[in-house]
Each structure stands twice: as C-alpha cells, then as structure tokens.
Amino acid sequence: MNEKQWENRYCDTAVCVDECANGAWTGRLINPGLPGPVGFCGVMQFLLEMERLLDDMKFPEPFTQTRSFAPTEPPSASAAPGLEQGRLATFSLRVLFRQNASWQGSVRWLEGRREESFRSVLELLLLMNSALSRKKAGIGE
C-alpha cells in the first residue's frame, strides 16, 4: 500500500463507530481541537458535530454560508468516554475543502488499511457505509 504522509495531525479527526444498526451509526469524534470525545447518535448528528468542529477550527473555511429555515440551536454534544478506536470501525477523516455546500478530502479506514478521496459528503458517507458493510460481513479485515 502506498502510504501517504499527512502534514498536520490537528486537521485529522478520528471517527470511532461503535454500532451500526439499520443505517444508524453511533460513536464518537476525537480531535485535538476538542476538549474530549464528542458522541453522536445517527449520521445526521455525526455531520452536524463535524460541521461544528470545522467551524470552530475555522479550517477549512466554508465556501458558502450555511442556510436554514430558521435559526436553531446546535444539538448538545455528549462526551462519550472510551478508547480512540471504534468497536465496529475507525476512520481518520481529513476535510481539505468546504466548497459547493459540501466537503472534499480524504478518509482512511484504519482496520481495512484503505484510504480514499471524496468529493462530497454523500460520497464520504457511501465510502464509510461500504466499509461498515464489509466489516459486518467479515470482509476486508
């Protein structure tokens, strides 16, 4: 495998997925910019917590402003204790750009020893879901 060197560990976020039932992921995000692990229940909360982290770090800067129907309070972050590895799968996520109201970057599936680039949040979710499906089926370990 061709090992890529990522320059700045601060930009990497560990996505530890502990469970995946009927497409609902639960787990936690770990990043040096966070005071501790941030738990998530469901793909939507995963995306919202990641977006909040990227906004707080101000990197990468968004290309467009986020639109909404009405001002809302972001969901409260629930810190989940645990190791830096998910029970089901662990991903190292690097968002390099936030353009066209989406994310672009690289995701590394640690257990499968694979890395792929993604051009949108949908593509990221499909990549992560394919790894979780392979893990649940016992393929690629």
Side-chain angles (χ1 to χ4, degrees):
M1 182 174 95
N2 209 1
E3 205 54 42
K4 290 184 182 177
Q5 293 297 318
W6 287 0
E7 313 81 40
N8 187 350
R9 303 292 297 165
Y10 184 76
C11 296
D12 297 343
T13 301
V15 181
C16 304
V17 180
D18 295 324
E19 293 180 32
C20 177
N22 300 323
W25 304 350
T26 59
R28 54 204 183 282
L29 301 175
I30 300 169
N31 182 286
L34 294 169
V38 174
F40 62 86
C41 282
V43 174
M44 189 65 191
Q45 190 177 12
F46 158 68
L47 294 175
L48 291 172
E49 294 296 347
M50 271 300 301
E51 187 72 13
R52 185 176 359 189
L53 171 64
L54 296 172
D55 285 342
D56 289 348
M57 290 191 319
K58 296 181 180 12
F59 182 83
E61 286 286 340
F63 184 72
T64 58
Q65 292 296 320
T66 303
R67 301 184 321 173
S68 65
F69 287 110
T72 60
E73 289 295 317
S76 61
S78 56
L83 302 174
E84 293 195 20
Q85 193 166 4
R87 287 192 296 268
L88 189 58
T90 309
F91 301 94
S92 181
L93 177 61
R94 172 168 278 196
V95 178
L96 298 172
F97 305 103
R98 291 197 287 172
Q99 297 178 344
N100 304 316
S102 196
W103 306 338
Q104 298 81 38
S106 298
V107 62
R108 183 182 299 166
W109 176 28
L110 300 182
E111 292 84 0
R113 299 176 188 237
R114 303 252 342 250
E115 181 176 347
E116 295 289 339
S117 295
F118 59 90
R119 297 163 288 199
S120 68
V121 170
L122 177 59
E123 191 173 25
L124 167 67
L125 294 177
L126 291 171
L127 285 166
M128 293 173 71
N129 193 60
S130 72
L132 291 168
S133 298
R134 291 176 61 88
K135 178 73 174 181
K136 287 174 77 173
I139 304 169
E141 297 183 54

